[in-house]
């Protein structure tokens, strides 16, 4: 046990009250006629009184205490006062012989004849010491967490050579308390302590080097904090345990202290409240959250071991120590009975990964039969993702060539940070003035042709189309609509009829007519005749069109590459028919084609409405309608447009971050190049593969059409088999088209030329594995 700091093995000083009062007066000029011994583990602390009223606090240090440690304490308090002067930290008084307030020596004086001790004096902070933690209100508990975080934040820039000492209750030194376990008299307690120490070795030790570290207070608990009548910390005292260690040490310490005497589940609730308060100031990193409950357990275990050892060594009154040990063991028992993993989840809220089969069953139970089925024969249990890679619960990674929503890449730090930062600041709605949505609207308008001058924010592509449709019917006074044969535009009652992809025949509505878009692979419908016929059908039903809705990359219709002439012709006919054009950019927008920000721009048309969704917030829900002011003027006389979440500051921050990344990473040219290379490489690799009928696309919106050998007959079974084989070969794709025979290759725009060979290798392996390579 030689590595233990000598202050722990040396008996505390033994001054009496009269001597203490005399020191106060002689050394620090405190007028005191009495003193009360407040008791302390290693030192002596006295409340000096004058006519029974508190006058000052006198602290007599252990004879083994180093002056460097004492100076570090004086320096840190001065540091904290500079950084966060509102923190209620006890600042020492200068002694009478001192002149320089910046010199740490001004705050300590040597007293005692036979045995020399350093003394310090502090002003009295009003409030109560050693409050009963179980009486603290929830509000006070949260405030404790906040104060602890503020204290650590104020100490962040402080350093001192003495801080690199080792004290046994420091989280980093917990393994050394193994040597004290033999002193624990109760065998159940020692078994429990050992279990926690084992857990420390497997859960904390391997992460130790990567946990954020700095100089921290080290022992923030009810013994070292003075509270006001509301239980709020009004004084932080005793920096005698500070050291350079993991940041979460203080948090573990305060949780350990505040859960004392709480029963049952309440301990975990209190721990969570402390954590909430802490994270209002300093959000924890993922690893810190993972180990916080283990750190709490480790503090409790160390407390039992150290307390037992000190009382066995005669350094503490065994009866006094025993009372604390019983309370600490109750805490430990609760963690052990709950189980370390479950306790970790209850404190941090991070849910453990469940088994795939269990989740599939529970999903069916709660989502019911109408929910879209899971993709792939062996559904992916997504654990985390980054850029174009998704990882399952086993750590297996998959090249994501399917998901368009994380447009600038899964978990892009710019977007994640923007969301987190704004949600910490304020999230409200557009009835309050806030810059984010206004800036986002301005940035979006700057990407649009003149005339599109107004932005309305909503929350999903469906809502955007719904609102555009509502405005179109209002403006034109009509009810007819046109969409492509197998379109999907959304889920709402108004838009579902324009989403034939998910409609049964009997659900088709009279007021919606469909046309088959140009299919260059089969050389079909290359002119506007299908569209003209659909228009005529509407007119014949006396349902003239209010709007035409087009997804410019035709994702649901099998990814068709339309020519500008063709679409311009349709747009002209639409306007001639008195209808409005809704460019649905939910799929094709935000640079998907690599040619322009919006897919309608490749056709050179001027839509009346542009609807945005999916990629707009990189996964965070936000959507918009961009339209012309004139359409809203009459509408505004009748009603207002308000969506509670539409354009809220957090969503808008996500939207802005996406636009920033698209610019900063020069995403559009990268998309164009990657798409070009992908199509060329797939064509080259499948030249002799008869089931691959066509490889087409724009930028990173691509389709690979799977057909019967020697024909152009769609083969949905082969397409589905290839999709599942690709998953087994580590690449995620989907299928699309009216016949479900087109492989949908629509990766996050973080997909670059580097990923092309990975994709092509998996495709070739999948075709070979299915005997489709010929
Ligand atoms: C082209 C298109 N428009 C609109 C929507 C509807 O968007 P949301 O699912 O966000 O309501 C979708 C969704 O897949 C879509 O693909």
């Amino acid at each position: 046990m030689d590595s233990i700091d000598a202050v722990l093995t040396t008996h505390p000083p033994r001054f009496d009250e009269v001597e203490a009062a005399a020191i106060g007066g002689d050394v620090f000029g405190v007028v005191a006629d009495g003193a009360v011994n407040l008791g302390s583990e290693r030192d002596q602390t006295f409340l000096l009184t004058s006519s029974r009223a508190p006058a000052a606090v006198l602290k007599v240090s252990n004879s083994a205490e180093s002056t460097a440690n004492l100076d570090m304490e004086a320096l840190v308090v001065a540091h904290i006062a500079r950084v966060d002067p509102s923190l209620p930290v006890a600042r020492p008084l200068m002694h009478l012989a001192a002149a320089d307030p910046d010199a740490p020596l001004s705050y300590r004086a040597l007293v005692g004849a036979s045995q020399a001790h350093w003394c310090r004096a502090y002003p009295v902070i009003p409030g109560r010491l050693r409050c009963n933690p179980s009486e603290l209100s929830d509000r006070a508990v949260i405030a404790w967490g906040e104060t602890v975080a503020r204290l650590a934040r104020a100490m962040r820039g402080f350093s001192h050579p003495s801080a690199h000492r080792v004290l046994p209750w420091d989280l980093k030194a917990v393994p050394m308390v193994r040597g004290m376990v033999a002193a624990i008299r109760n065998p159940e307690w020692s078994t429990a302590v050992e279990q926690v120490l084992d857990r420390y070795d497997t859960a904390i030790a391997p992460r130790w080097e990567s946990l954020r570290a700095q100089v921290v207070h080290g022992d923030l608990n009810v013994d070292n904090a003075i509270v006001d009548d509301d239980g709020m910390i009004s004084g932080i005292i005793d920096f005698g345990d500070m050291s350079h260690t993991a940041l979460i040490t203080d948090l573990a310490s305060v949780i350990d202290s505040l859960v004392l005497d709480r029963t049952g589940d309440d301990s975990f609730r209190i721990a969570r409240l402390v954590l909430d308060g802490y994270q209002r100031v300093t959000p924890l990193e993922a690893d810190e959250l993972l180990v916080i409950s283990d750190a709490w357990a480790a503090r409790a275990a160390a407390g039992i071991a150290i307390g037992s050892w000190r009382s066995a060594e005669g350094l503490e009154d065994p009866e006094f120590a025993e009372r604390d040990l019983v309370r600490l063991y109750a805490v430990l028992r609760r963690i052990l009975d709950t189980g370390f993993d479950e306790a970790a989840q209850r404190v941090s809220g991070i849910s453990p990964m469940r088994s795939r089969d269990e989740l599939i069953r529970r999903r069916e139970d709660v989502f019911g039969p109408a929910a879209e089925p899971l993709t792939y024969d062996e559904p992916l249990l997504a654990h985390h993702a980054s850029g174009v890679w998704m990882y399952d619960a086993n750590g297996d990674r998959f090249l994501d060539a399917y998901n368009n929503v994380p447009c600038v890449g899964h978990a892009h730090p710019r977007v994640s940070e923007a969301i987190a930062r704004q949600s910490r600041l304020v999230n409200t709605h557009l009835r309050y003035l806030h810059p984010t949505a206004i800036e986002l609207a301005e940035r979006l308008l700057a990407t649009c042709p003149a005339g599109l001058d107004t932005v309305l924010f909503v929350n999903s592509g469906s809502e955007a189309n719904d609102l555009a449709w509502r405005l179109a019917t209002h403006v034109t006074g009509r009810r007819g609509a046109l969409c492509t044969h197998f379109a999907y535009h959304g889920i709402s009652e108004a838009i579902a009829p324009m989403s034939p992809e998910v409609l049964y025949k009997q659900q088709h509505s009279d007021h919606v007519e469909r046309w088959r878009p140009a299919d260059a692979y089969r050389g079909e419908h290359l002119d506007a005749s299908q569209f003209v016929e659909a228009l005529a059908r509407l007119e014949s039903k006396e349902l003239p069109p209010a709007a035409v809705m087009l997804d410019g990359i035709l994702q649901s219709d099998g990814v068709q590459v339309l020519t500008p002439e063709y679409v311009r012709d349709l747009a002209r006919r639409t306007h001639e028919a008195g209808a409005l054009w809704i460019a649905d950019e939910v799929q094709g927008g935000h640079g998907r084609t690599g040619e322009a920000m919006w897919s309608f721009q490749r056709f050179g048309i001027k839509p009346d409405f542009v609807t945005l969704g999916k990629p707009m917030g990189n996964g965070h829900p936000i959507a918009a309608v961009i339209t012309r002011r004139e359409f809203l003027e009459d509408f505004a006389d009748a009603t207002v447009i308000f969506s509670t979440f539409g354009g809220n500051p957090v969503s808008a921050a996500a939207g802005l971050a996406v636009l920033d990344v698209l610019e900063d990473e020069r995403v559009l040219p990268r998309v164009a190049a990657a798409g070009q290379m992908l199509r060329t490489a797939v064509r080259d690799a499948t030249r002799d593969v008869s089931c691959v009928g066509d490889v087409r696309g724009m930028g990173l919106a691509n389709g690979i059409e799977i057909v019967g050998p020697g024909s152009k007959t769609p083969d949905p079974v082969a397409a589905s088999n290839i999709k599942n084989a690709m998953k087994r070969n580590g690449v995620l794709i989907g299928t699309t088209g009216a016949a479900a025979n087109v492989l949908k290759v629509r990766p996050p725009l973080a997909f670059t030329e580097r990923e092309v060979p990975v994709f092509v290798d998996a495709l070739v392996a999948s075709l070979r594995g299915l005997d489709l390579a010929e």
Side-chain angles (χ1 to χ4, degrees), residues 317-398:
D317 171 9
E319 216 174 292
F320 183 76
E322 183 83 1
R323 252 180 295 145
D324 276 351
L325 299 186
V326 170
R327 295 163 85 205
L328 276 177
Y329 177 69
V331 170
L332 207 54
R333 193 66 262 154
R334 201 156 309 123
I335 298 173
L336 288 169
D337 290 345
T338 306
F340 289 117
D341 289 336
E342 178 68 25
Q345 193 209 341
R346 287 211 208 164
V347 175
S348 69
I350 300 177
S351 42
M353 214 51 198
R354 310 280 176 189
S355 91
R356 194 171 61 183
D357 292 345
E358 178 205 330
L359 281 181
I360 291 173
R361 192 176 33 75
R362 285 170 54 195
R363 180 185 192 272
E364 272 167 20
D365 285 349
V366 291
F367 293 168
E372 173 121 5
L374 288 162
T375 309
Y376 312 119
D377 295 344
E378 292 170 13
L380 176 75
L381 176 48
H383 182 264
H384 65 282
S386 172
V388 279
W389 297 96
M390 289 183 77
Y391 297 80
D392 71 8
N394 302 322
D396 291 333
R397 73 173 193 164
F398 297 84

Side-chain angles (χ1 to χ4, degrees), residues 666-751:
R666 300 196 171 117
V667 171
L668 268 64
R670 191 176 76 193
V671 165
Q676 186 66 46
M677 186 175 168
L678 177 72
R679 287 186 294 279
T680 306
V682 171
R683 281 186 197 121
D684 287 351
T686 60
R687 183 151 294 135
D688 300 324
V689 179
S690 61
C691 75
V692 175
D694 192 28
V695 180
R696 57 179 178 253
M698 304 131 277
L700 288 172
N702 293 288
I704 303 173
E705 180 136 3
I706 306 300
V707 291
S711 76
K712 289 186 177 176
T713 312
D715 188 343
V717 175
S720 170
N721 289 341
I722 295 169
K723 177 181 78 173
N724 284 304
M726 288 288 276
K727 153 93 186 344
R728 289 193 294 278
N729 284 306
V731 176
L732 308 176
I733 57 167
T735 51
T736 180
N741 70 315
V742 179
L743 303 182
K744 182 157 63 170
V745 185
R746 187 195 52 178
L749 303 185
F751 185 99

